[in-house]
Amino acid sequence: MHPDDPSDQKLTDARPTTQSDDAASTERTIGRHRASEPPRRSLLGSTPVRVALATGVTCCLSLVAVATARGSSDDTSRPVEPLAEAVADRAAIADERASRSLDREVAPARILPSPTAKPTPSPTVARKAPKKPVKPRRPRPVAGLDQAQMDNAKIIVDVGLDMKMPRRALVVALATAMQESNLYNLASDVLPESANYPNQGSGSDHDSVGLFQQRPSSGWGTVAELMRPSYAARAFYTALNEVPGWQDMSVTYAAQSVQISAYPDAYAQHEERATIVASALTA
């Protein structure tokens, strides 16, 4: 080639330049003669690079958001198994503690009252009226007696039964009262005090009073006592028991043994009526 050819000149000029550059780079690499590097153009300053970086950052952020969302959804289901295990462990511990002691106190169950429940009123207990004393039924008169006579005859029979006297003694007592007072509780005109007590008339045979015309002066009792038909009947039965063998005596003789009357045969006339009355009152 001709030295004056432009193309040859260009190739010739280009080679040294490359060699010098390589040498310079070699020198910089070796470090013997480090020269200052020429200023480089920043890659971030290029518009296409900036667009590419922005697009990449956006994609990365989207991926991070999706990954976070998946992680959060997965996290909600992961703790289920550890929680169940923890509850089972606590239950086992509680059972173990409870089985160690038999002296456990059970808390009383708390019963809450129902809001609609109303207290049940206690039933009213009706008070029973006090019973009035029942008056004894008056006996029906028999053997021609009136009610007053029959009431006194009942007292004589009741006292004899209370004293465990036999039926024969009841007949003797009734016949005696029929003869002495006609079965009336009599006071005495000789003893004005006798009129102060309940009576059904009066007599005048000395100081004799009551159903059996017993005399206070003879030791039968006080006027007040003899004016009570029950006391007079008891006094008669007591005296009759003191007569030996009175059970085998006739009504007249047994009555006379007690009364010592001036008319000893008078009692016999009342034996039949006395038997009827005794039967009616002991039936």
Side-chain angles (χ1 to χ4, degrees):
M1 290 185 185
H2 197 275
D4 295 334
D5 191 353
S7 59
D8 294 336
Q9 293 177 359
K10 290 179 181 180
L11 292 172
T12 304
D13 295 338
R15 289 174 182 174
T17 303
T18 303
Q19 292 176 357
S20 62
D21 290 337
D22 293 337
S25 61
T26 301
E27 292 176 359
R28 287 196 297 270
T29 303
I30 296 172
R32 294 178 181 178
H33 303 284
R34 300 190 73 172
S36 59
E37 296 180 359
R40 295 179 181 178
R41 187 177 179 181
S42 176
L43 294 177
L44 296 178
S46 175
T47 299
V49 174
R50 291 180 180 179
V51 173
L53 289 175
T55 303
V57 170
T58 303
C59 293
C60 291
L61 292 176
S62 300
L63 292 174
V64 171
V66 172
T68 304
R70 289 182 178 177
S72 62
S73 62
D74 294 341
D75 292 340
T76 57
S77 60
R78 289 177 183 174
V80 173
E81 183 175 357
L83 179 59
E85 293 178 358
V87 172
D89 293 340
R90 291 184 181 180
I93 293 173
D95 292 340
E96 183 180 358
R97 290 179 179 175
S99 63
R100 289 180 182 177
S101 175
L102 296 176
D103 299 330
R104 296 189 300 277
E105 295 182 0
V106 179
R110 185 180 179 185
I111 301 175
L112 298 178
S114 176
T116 59
K118 295 181 180 180
T120 304
S122 58
T124 303
V125 179
R127 294 184 177 180
K128 295 183 179 180
K131 294 183 179 180
K132 295 181 180 180
V134 180
K135 293 182 179 180
R137 186 178 63 179
R138 302 179 73 178
R140 184 175 64 86
V142 294
L145 303 179
D146 61 23
Q147 190 64 58
Q149 291 172 310
M150 197 69 183
D151 291 342
N152 290 331
K154 184 177 186 307
I155 294 173
I156 294 171
V157 172
D158 289 346
V159 171
L161 294 176
D162 183 66
M163 295 178 67
K164 303 295 189 288
M165 300 297 291
R167 186 187 182 116
R168 180 72 172 173
L170 305 182
V171 174
V172 172
L174 287 172
T176 302
M178 287 177 181
Q179 174 60 31
E180 297 291 346
S181 64
N182 199 19
L183 281 175
Y184 289 117
N185 190 31
L186 300 178
S188 175
D189 296 336
V190 179
L191 295 173
E193 177 189 352
S194 61
N196 297 332
Y197 305 103
N199 62 83
Q200 297 164 327
S202 62
S204 57
D205 183 10
H206 304 289
D207 58 346
S208 301
V209 295
L211 289 176
F212 294 90
Q213 291 292 287
Q214 296 157 328
R215 301 177 63 177
S217 59
S218 299
W220 287 93
T222 64
V223 177
E225 290 172 342
L226 296 175
M227 289 296 296
R228 295 204 314 269
S230 59
Y231 176 90
R234 188 172 295 275
F236 178 85
Y237 287 123
T238 300
L240 181 63
N241 273 330
E242 292 177 356
V243 176
W246 67 267
Q247 296 89 344
D248 299 328
M249 297 178 182
S250 63
V251 171
T252 297
Y253 194 71
Q256 177 61 17
S257 299
V258 175
Q259 295 295 102
I260 314 297
S261 172
Y263 307 96
D265 297 329
Y267 301 107
Q269 60 182 330
H270 305 289
E271 182 176 353
E272 183 178 356
R273 294 176 64 207
T275 303
I276 297 172
V277 172
S279 298
L281 293 173
T282 57

